[in-house]
Structures are given as structure tokens and as C-alpha cells.
Amino acid sequence: MIALSNEDILFLVNKWVSDLARENYINPVFNGYHNGQNGSYTKSPGFYTSIRFEKGDLDICIDHHDESDQFKVTILNDVVGEQLAWVNPTSLSKLKELLEMMKQPTSVLVKYINEQASR
């Protein structure tokens, strides 16, 4: 298996999230005030180490842990005002799997998240 640098890991995650946004599966929350939302990205040598976006009624934040390939994922359901259970820290491969699920309808995504929490 090839070891990736932190820069490579951040590049991959940013690309995956950008692709989802470009294909209109998710809505990024930008720095400052945008569409009635306050939010920000933390920029680090050209890459975002913290990414926030919305998928339907879900508000999702992905934070990269410095000097590792682990991430902290926070998923809030805005309708019920509760945080969904997600196992942290999250590996790069598990994050990729979660991001692939963003292409599914929100109800399917919530079911997937709940199934992962019960494992």
C-alpha cells in the first residue's frame, strides 16, 4: 500500500468534496455569510483542513487531524436538531465510502449512517 502525505490526503478529500458539489449532490457552506448561513473553512497550504457542507437536512463537517490520515466527522440533522452517531476518528477509506453515499437520497444516507453507528 502506498503511503500518502498529509498534502496528498487533503488534496484527495478536497477533490472528492468539490466533485460532489460540482455535481450538485451537496451544498458547500462558504467562508462568511452565504445563503443565510455562517460558516468557514480553515485554509492550510492551499488546502482546506476543515470542510462544511449540507446534504438535504444534514449539516456535515469534516475536520482533518494534523499529521495523520484520520478525520473527525460531525453530522447534524437540522430537522430534529440532533447529531447523528458516527464513529470517530474516521479513516480515509471510510471517509471515501461516506462521501460516495452523498450521491444517494438523504433518507438512504441517514439509514447508512445509522447502520454504521450500530456496528
Side-chain angles (χ1 to χ4, degrees):
M1 185 171 168
I2 299 172
L4 297 173
S5 70
N6 273 349
E7 188 173 290
D8 292 337
I9 290 169
L10 290 173
F11 176 81
L12 275 175
V13 173
N14 279 269
K15 181 185 179 329
W16 295 337
V17 171
S18 295
D19 289 348
L20 288 169
R22 190 172 20 268
E23 296 166 7
N24 294 316
Y25 290 113
I26 62 170
N27 299 313
V29 178
F30 295 97
N31 190 18
Y33 193 75
H34 178 75
N35 287 342
Q37 294 273 345
N38 282 309
S40 63
Y41 291 115
T42 304
K43 211 149 191 190
S44 172
F47 299 106
Y48 295 120
T49 59
S50 179
I51 299 172
R52 184 173 165 215
F53 58 88
E54 297 170 338
K55 166 73 175 168
D57 297 326
L58 302 179
D59 189 5
I60 301 159
C61 186
I62 301 169
D63 293 303
H64 181 252
H65 289 221
D66 292 333
E67 304 304 321
S68 75
D69 63 349
Q70 301 291 305
F71 296 84
K72 179 179 183 227
V73 177
T74 307
I75 306 168
L76 300 173
N77 186 328
D78 292 337
V79 171
V80 294
E82 293 181 356
Q83 182 171 331
L84 298 178
W86 184 259
V87 178
N88 281 305
T90 303
S91 68
L92 183 63
S93 61
K94 195 64 174 175
L95 181 61
K96 172 68 171 163
E97 186 178 307
L98 174 63
L99 291 173
E100 282 295 318
M101 288 302 296
M102 296 296 161
K103 295 178 180 178
Q104 301 298 320
T106 305
S107 59
V108 174
L109 175 61
V110 169
K111 183 178 178 191
Y112 164 78
I113 292 166
N114 290 333
E115 287 173 354
Q116 296 301 306
S118 65
R119 287 186 182 181

